[in-house]
Each structure stands twice: as C-alpha cells, then as structure tokens.
Amino acid sequence: MRALTVTPGVKDSIQLENIDQPSPGSSQALLRVREIGVCGTDLDLNQGFYGEAPPGSNYLITGHESLSTVEDIPKNPQGITKGDLVVPTVRRPDNCMTCVHGESDMCLTGNYKEHGIKGLHGFGSDYAISDIAFLVKVPPDLTDVAVLLEPMSVAEKGVYQAFKIQERMLWKPKKVLILGAGPVGLLTSYLLRLKGLDVVVTATRASDSLKARLAQRAGATYVNTMEQPLLSLGKFDLIMEETGSAQIALQATGMLNTNGIMCFLGIYAPTEAPEDIGAFYKDVVLGNKTFFGSVNANINYFRMGLKNFSEIQRQFPGILHDTISVRIPPEHFQEAYSPNKDNIKTVIRFQN
Ligand SMILES: [Zn+2]
C-alpha cells in the first residue's frame, strides 16, 4: 500500500513509499483511509524538529488528521461496523491518573503516544489501524468536511475549558478576539459565532483574502494587522491566541477586559521576558484575569466538534467545505509540504 513516511529527526525526509498493509490486533479496527489533513505539526515533523517512530521501525507514517471507512472490525460495544465513516483520535493514554480517567489530553507523565507523531504510525496510508475505543463515528452528511474534526477538537477544548474556568464567577462575555486565522483559528471563530458572540479575527492576510472572507461568512470581523494595529482594537472578554507568536501573545495580554480569560494554543519559541513584568502581574491581579494553555483533545471534544459541525453547516452553509482549500492525491504530496500562504487547509485524498 501507499504510505507517506518521514524519518524522525531527518530534514525533508517525507516520501511516498510502498509498504505492507498493517494487521489489526483484537481490540483494533482496520481502516481504509479516505483523507488526511496536513498541518503545521506535519511540516515540523518533516523539518526533523520532533517525531518518534514506533518501536522496531526506522520510519513514521505521518498524518494525524484523518477520515476513514471501517474495513474490518470485531463486534464492539460502540456499535461501529464495517463501512462506517470514522475519525480516530490522535493520542493514546499511558496509565497515569488523568489518562486512566479518560483525559489523555491532560496526561501527567508525557508518556502518552500519538498517531503520526509519537511512537505510533499515523493515518497517511491506504490502510491504517486504530484502537476501537478511540474511533468517533461520523454521520454521512459530514463526509466531505469530517477530516477537519481533529483541528476542530483543539478549538473545542480551548473554548470549553475557557468557559468551564469562568464558572468561577458570574461571567457574560460579549467580545472575543481570535489571534490567527489558520484552520484552528477559523474553526474557533465559527464555533464562537454559534454562541452569538461578537468575534474579531486578526491575521496578516489581505482583507479580501480567502481567510478574511471565511471569517466574515461566519459573521466575524476580520482585521489585517498590517493595516490596523492590534492594540487599536480595544478590550476583549475572551482572547484565543492561535498565532504561536510570543510577541503577539504578549501584546494581546494587555487587551483583556476585567475578569477576562486568555487561552494559549500556539507553540512558542523561547524569547526574552518583557521588561516590566511587574506591571503585567499587577494588571492580572487587579483585573482578576486568567491565562491558561491548552493542548491536544480527548474523544469528548471530538464528539462536541461533530455536533457543532452539523450546526455550523446549518448556520453557515458551505463554510467548512471551503475551509479545505486544496485536495490532492498522495502522489502530489510535495504540494502540501511546500508552504503557500494563501492555502488554508490542504487535504491528501487516498480514496474517493
Ligand atoms: Zn498519562
């Protein structure tokens, strides 16, 4: 079968190989992969920044965002059968307290595994395997957009956690700032528009770019920060930081309203601390402000994402479909790995 592989730690090692089809264990399903999505993590894997092959393998099959058809599956309590459409979650738990509790996204040890990233092959191949307990069944009417469920689960977790934390008091947010209009940023904007919030999305693309138009179709305001400075946008009750830029994140901390909350979803490079950290701490205290980080998502957030996908389809028809800007066959994989700033989400289609 065809498989997109990288050699962990080796730059530009991505290639399409012909390898043997995997054999599922007794608690696993054999999946016929339809599509995988390519994200920044995949590009980083191909840069050799991280990644870990499964034990005994010198390569890692990439692809953690995926949609498959079940090819073979033993009888299971979830009621998933051959022919069902499924999205597997990415992370597999170890035996720490939170993992055992079903929250592998909150793993205490770091000894979890992740399909296509850390210690388990991904889904970028004609066939793949996953534990049955981590499959989310997808309704047929979401077939053409469900490959976006994994990035959506990341948005769901950040937003859910922010609202959960804010149960610490009476909180009625009105204005939301989303920094960054990549796939997760846009999906976050659709999600928060479903809640009826006043959403501003910022990025550096032009005001008539595809990103801008998608945000606007969901009723959000798009701001190109090359034209309008971030700090001129006022104060916000909720800020979702999705650029991964420490500089932008730092600027935005001062834009949080009293009692507000800011969620960090990026991977930040090391940088020097601001000169006046004291003024920042004072502002945090006097404004009862909360800052928190969020990574990965467990199966519950995938399920929330599916429900909200149906609602997004109803309220903003076609928007999820158009968020996938490029669909290519596996043989054209290099297109997905050469940066193109006008792309939003590239999907590699293994089977129609
Ligand atoms: Zn754990």
Side-chain angles (χ1 to χ4, degrees), residues 30 44 53 68 107 114 177 183 202 239 257 282 286 310:
L30 179 66
D44 286 350
S68 289
C107 182
E114 287 179 334
L177 175 63
T202 64
I239 301 178
N257 253 335
K282 181 180 167 190
L286 297 182
S310 296

Side-chain angles (χ1 to χ4, degrees), residues 91-100 103-113:
R91 192 175 282 191
R92 297 292 172 269
D94 67 349
N95 54 6
C96 82
M97 181 181 76
T98 49
C99 280
V100 170
E103 292 179 293
S104 59
D105 56 314
M106 297 296 199
C107 182
L108 285 165
T109 64
N111 294 330
Y112 56 79
K113 292 182 175 179

Side-chain angles (χ1 to χ4, degrees), residues 1-171:
M1 65 169 188
R2 296 170 299 176
L4 275 173
T5 66
V6 292
T7 307
V10 177
K11 190 172 157 61
D12 293 329
S13 62
I14 183 99
Q15 58 174 323
L16 189 66
E17 285 194 273
N18 213 332
I19 60 170
D20 291 341
Q21 191 178 312
S23 312
S26 60
S27 61
Q28 294 178 318
L30 179 66
L31 308 175
R32 177 78 171 96
V33 178
R34 295 174 65 96
E35 295 174 327
I36 60 162
V38 177
C39 76
T41 300
D42 296 304
L43 301 187
D44 286 350
L45 280 169
N46 190 40
Q47 288 294 310
F49 292 157
Y50 44 78
E52 186 187 317
S57 173
N58 52 11
Y59 62 85
L60 173 71
I61 300 176
T62 64
H64 56 278
E65 303 177 2
S66 68
L67 172 67
S68 289
T69 309
V70 175
E71 180 78 11
D72 192 20
I73 192 166
K75 207 167 164 32
N76 59 83
Q78 290 87 344
I80 298 173
T81 56
K82 181 179 160 87
D84 281 346
L85 279 172
V86 290
V87 172
T89 65
V90 178
R91 192 175 282 191
R92 297 292 172 269
D94 67 349
N95 54 6
C96 82
M97 181 181 76
T98 49
C99 280
V100 170
H101 186 245
E103 292 179 293
S104 59
D105 56 314
M106 297 296 199
C107 182
L108 285 165
T109 64
N111 294 330
Y112 56 79
K113 292 182 175 179
E114 287 179 334
H115 279 283
I117 303 170
K118 185 175 182 283
L120 291 172
H121 282 313
F123 307 109
S125 48
D126 284 308
Y127 292 90
I129 51 179
S130 166
D131 287 347
I132 298 165
F134 296 97
L135 294 177
V136 180
K137 190 171 160 176
V138 173
D141 62 324
L142 294 177
T143 305
D144 67 334
V145 298
V147 71
L148 293 172
L149 189 55
E150 195 279 337
M152 182 62 168
S153 73
V154 173
E156 290 280 357
K157 180 183 172 184
V159 168
Y160 175 87
Q161 295 273 325
F163 279 78
K164 190 75 189 165
I165 293 166
Q166 293 297 80
E167 288 176 12
R168 66 193 173 117
M169 65 187 153
L170 176 66
W171 187 60

Side-chain angles (χ1 to χ4, degrees), residues 7 9 36 150 232 295 320 344:
T7 307
I36 60 162
E150 195 279 337
S232 71
V295 70
L320 290 171
I344 296 176

Side-chain angles (χ1 to χ4, degrees), residues 167-190:
E167 288 176 12
R168 66 193 173 117
M169 65 187 153
L170 176 66
W171 187 60
K172 293 186 176 173
K174 292 187 178 68
K175 289 185 70 184
V176 181
L177 175 63
I178 299 171
L179 300 161
V184 180
L186 286 171
L187 291 167
T188 308
S189 74
Y190 310 158

